[in-house]
Amino acid sequence: MLLLTCPYCGVDAEETELHAGGEAHLKRFGPGASDEDFTAYLFHRENPKGVHFERWRHANGCGKWFHAARCTNTLEVFGTYKAQTTEPPKDLLDTIRAKRPGFRWRDLA
Amino acid sequence: MKRYSAFAVAREAVRYHSGWERAWRKVEPKKRYDVIIVGAGGHGLATAYYLGKNFGITNVAVIEKGWLGGGNTGRNTTIIRSNYLQDPSAAIYEKARSLYETLSQDLNYNIMFSPRGVMMLAQTEHEIRGYRRTAHANRLQGVDTQFIGPARVKELCPIIELKGPRYPVLGALWQPRGGTARHDAVAWGYARACSDMGMDIIQKCEVTAVRQSGGKVTGVTTTKGDIDCDKLGIVVAGHSGVLAEMAGFRLPIESVALQALVSEPIKPVMDVVVMANTVHGYMSQSDKGEMVIGGGADGYNNYTQRGSFHHVEETVRALIETFPMISRLKMLRWWGGIVDMTGDRSPILSKTPLENCFINCGWGTGGFKAIPGSGWGMAELVAKGHSPLTAEFGLNRFREGRFIDESVAAGVAH
């Protein structure tokens, strides 16, 4: 069972307390965007077998959205961080680089 | 290949079963094939089979990372039905269901197709309206389904509790020619028939790269060396994203875990398949007597092929309400598979941005029932470049907004 630490209330929340919200750090495209960008934004998703960045909501807790870095192949959780950012914090990326040398996710490495 | 028959069983019975041969040849890869299919699950093997049978293309290799039929083909709940709302879905699933009817004879391999009937319970007013609509649509599509009332539900499946406290049974969408089949046998039967046509089925051979030049596919690199091909078919379900990345394009797909479980075997108690979509659970009884139970998919990306406790609890809790008699049953086995989910919950059978590379994926939580139809359409797509069965399932439907929206039609994963 997945355990994620909510970065707002500090609770170690287990899966049933949380709601999965899909891929993190999506760049939003709307009217005026090219067809490629809009299609990619709406439908194309990162689907890595390995390190993944996601949005989660502490639904049965404080109710806030946050981010998590997780391995989809082992369910190892590298860390969680708050929602008000467009990219993962540097220290978390360093942790992941140390644990998973050579990982790639979009343009992060 | 020696044919299986009652005579063969009798012949082997008198000589200590010493004359059975391998069902498919064990081979090392050749340098080049006309077509390489990646993925020796049901869909991949069916694609290869119909390439040979319908189009005479037999210089084919089916490459498998693990063992034959060890992915979702061996992990599903073996339900076969075609009561879909949208026309393109009904066409391909009904093609598959009708091929299942005679598949044992076609393959000379008993796949134990059992058209015992599939019942989808309506437990809310909304579902009654939805299923009535589906039944009307099915009538226009030539798929034999009907909406039945609670009395008929009870008659067909006496162990159902009609007056459940939360969700009473208000009726059901009934497809009498739906049912189940032996899932492993489907893969084994296709593999044996492919091997008999001279195709190579190569197990424990992982594709590590897709080679291309000038926008055209030229072959694959595998753990057993480089293999060249004219055409490549990617039929790898949960790992489609990984293969697509090797080939250099993206897919509108996310891979999640779907789990199922079986109970200890008991005497026959139900001879139909029952699906309860409002509460997310479905159940049938296997020939061995186990109650085969499936539920909803996990909500997050996952490649672990394991289940999670709370989903099993949710599924079982819901089913106990509708089938109170199963509450004392012990769980015997429990497993998970990785399913490839698209946004509209319909599959992708398509050309790709890489020329001569074709993909068959996105079957999500309902691929087993489609195996023969999917292979039929995919083979035509690979051989001729287009197929009426797969025309609507192209990758470009997302960009063009032509969804085949079964997610709304079903209301749940299906």
Side-chain angles (χ1 to χ4, degrees):
Chain A
M1 181 161 276
L2 212 52
L3 276 176
L4 299 178
T5 307
C6 174
Y8 294 99
C9 59
V11 168
D12 290 331
E14 60 119 307
E15 217 171 314
T16 53
E17 214 172 315
L18 301 163
H19 176 79
E23 185 179 337
H25 309 306
L26 282 179
K27 184 160 185 240
R28 281 157 182 78
F29 289 90
S34 71
D35 281 359
E36 278 75 21
D37 285 343
F38 196 52
T39 308
Y41 159 56
L42 283 179
F43 302 111
H44 290 171
R45 290 292 177 267
E46 296 301 321
N47 192 18
K49 186 176 182 176
V51 178
H52 195 33
F53 296 87
E54 300 168 305
R55 300 170 75 230
W56 286 82
R57 184 171 167 254
H58 195 184
N60 295 321
C62 68
K64 291 203 168 75
W65 284 98
F66 62 93
H67 288 125
R70 187 175 63 87
C71 175
T72 60
N73 201 23
T74 62
L75 300 191
E76 180 181 0
V77 177
F78 302 111
T80 56
Y81 52 100
K82 293 185 178 180
Q84 289 74 20
T85 173
T86 53
E87 58 187 31
K90 195 180 166 303
D91 55 336
L92 179 62
L93 282 174
D94 288 339
T95 310
I96 297 171
R97 283 184 197 115
K99 285 185 171 174
R100 300 292 160 90
F103 96 91
R104 219 157 42 79
W105 190 82
R106 279 201 224 142
D107 47 2
L108 296 173
Chain B
M1 178 181 80
K2 287 183 192 160
R3 282 183 65 79
Y4 293 153
S5 63
F7 173 73
V9 173
R11 184 189 64 213
E12 294 306 325
V14 298
R15 56 176 189 184
Y16 300 102
H17 294 279
S18 56
W20 299 117
E21 55 188 14
R22 289 186 70 96
W24 52 88
R25 289 169 294 113
K26 188 175 183 184
V27 289
E28 289 302 310
K30 290 191 282 188
K31 278 274 154 258
R32 201 198 78 84
Y33 293 92
D34 291 345
V35 179
I36 291 178
I37 305 290
V38 184
H43 290 264
L45 290 164
T47 302
Y49 174 73
Y50 293 113
L51 271 175
K53 188 178 181 222
N54 295 350
F55 301 99
I57 301 170
T58 56
N59 185 18
V60 175
V62 185
I63 299 177
E64 169 60 45
K65 175 178 74 170
W67 67 95
L68 193 145
N72 295 346
T73 306
R75 292 165 189 269
N76 58 76
T77 50
T78 77
I79 297 168
I80 294 165
R81 60 183 179 89
S82 59
N83 51 354
Y84 282 75
L85 178 67
Q86 312 292 351
D87 290 349
S89 317
I92 197 163
Y93 287 107
E94 177 60 13
K95 176 73 184 171
R97 199 207 55 76
S98 64
L99 286 169
Y100 265 125
E101 297 244 3
T102 55
L103 197 58
S104 293
Q105 289 81 0
D106 292 346
L107 298 178
N108 180 232
Y109 200 102
N110 187 5
I111 61 146
M112 296 164 71
F113 176 57
S114 161
R116 57 183 66 181
V118 173
M119 195 152 67
M120 297 171 80
L121 300 181
Q123 294 178 291
T124 62
E125 289 292 329
H126 171 81
E127 266 186 311
I128 293 180
R129 282 196 290 271
Y131 286 147
R132 279 188 193 282
R133 181 185 174 203
T134 304
H136 291 315
N138 287 162
R139 193 160 304 153
L140 293 171
Q141 292 150 348
V143 178
D144 179 19
T145 65
Q146 49 187 296
F147 189 84
I148 57 176
R152 178 78 175 128
V153 170
K154 188 77 179 171
E155 198 178 297
L156 287 163
C157 186
I159 65 169
I160 285 187
E161 170 58 57
L162 294 181
K163 297 182 171 58
R166 269 196 312 167
Y167 294 111
V169 176
L170 305 170
L173 181 66
W174 170 240
Q175 183 172 24
R177 294 302 290 174
T180 61
R182 171 92 167 88
H183 52 357
D184 296 322
V186 173
W188 297 336
Y190 275 124
R192 178 166 168 269
C194 287
S195 183
D196 187 48
M197 286 190 279
M199 297 178 183
D200 289 348
I201 295 156
I202 304 154
Q203 301 179 72
K204 292 180 187 161
C205 177
E206 184 175 358
V207 171
T208 53
V210 174
R211 288 181 293 119
Q212 47 185 292
S213 89
K216 273 189 182 178
V217 71
T218 58
V220 291
T221 303
T222 74
T223 48
K224 295 192 175 187
D226 285 359
I227 312 173
D228 295 339
C229 66
D230 291 344
K231 289 176 179 175
L232 178 69
I234 298 174
V235 195
V236 295
H239 282 71
S240 296
V242 179
L243 263 291
E245 198 181 327
M246 288 180 201
F249 57 89
R250 298 182 78 195
L251 290 172
I253 276 187
E254 289 185 286
S255 298
V256 302
L258 178 69
Q259 50 195 324
L261 62 144
V262 295
S263 74
E264 58 188 328
I266 54 173
K267 288 185 177 179
V269 292
M270 66 186 290
D271 57 0
V272 294
V273 179
V274 177
M275 315 186 69
N277 286 338
T278 296
V279 293
H280 264 232
Y282 41 96
M283 187 164 82
S284 61
Q285 189 168 21
S286 73
D287 293 338
K288 287 184 283 185
E290 301 154 338
M291 306 308 289
V292 184
I293 294 171
D298 283 359
Y300 51 86
N301 293 28
N302 189 347
Y303 281 89
T304 59
Q305 293 191 320
R306 268 179 295 177
S308 55
F309 293 108
H310 74 273
H311 265 97
V312 164
E313 193 189 349
E314 275 167 25
T315 302
V316 171
R317 192 168 57 208
L319 284 174
I320 284 175
E321 200 180 296
T322 310
F323 302 94
M325 63 145 306
I326 67 167
S327 67
R328 300 288 182 86
L329 285 183
K330 294 187 181 76
M331 183 171 83
L332 190 69
R333 279 178 289 122
W334 169 35
W335 65 94
I338 303 307
V339 297
D340 39 343
M341 308 289 277
T342 57
D344 60 0
R345 300 293 181 263
S346 286
I348 295 167
L349 295 101
S350 181
K351 295 178 178 180
T352 68
L354 181 61
E355 203 176 327
N356 291 338
C357 174
F358 302 84
I359 193 154
N360 179 352
C361 64
W363 291 96
T365 59
F368 174 74
K369 66 174 88 74
I371 284 173
S374 157
W376 185 284
M378 182 70 177
E380 192 171 16
L381 180 67
V382 171
K384 290 162 65 177
H386 61 88
S387 161
L389 265 189
T390 68
E392 303 290 324
F393 293 103
L395 259 177
N396 53 4
R397 75 170 185 268
F398 295 95
R399 178 177 164 157
E400 293 165 6
R402 293 183 292 100
F403 312 117
I404 305 163
D405 202 342
E406 294 292 350
S407 62
V408 171
V412 293
H414 62 94

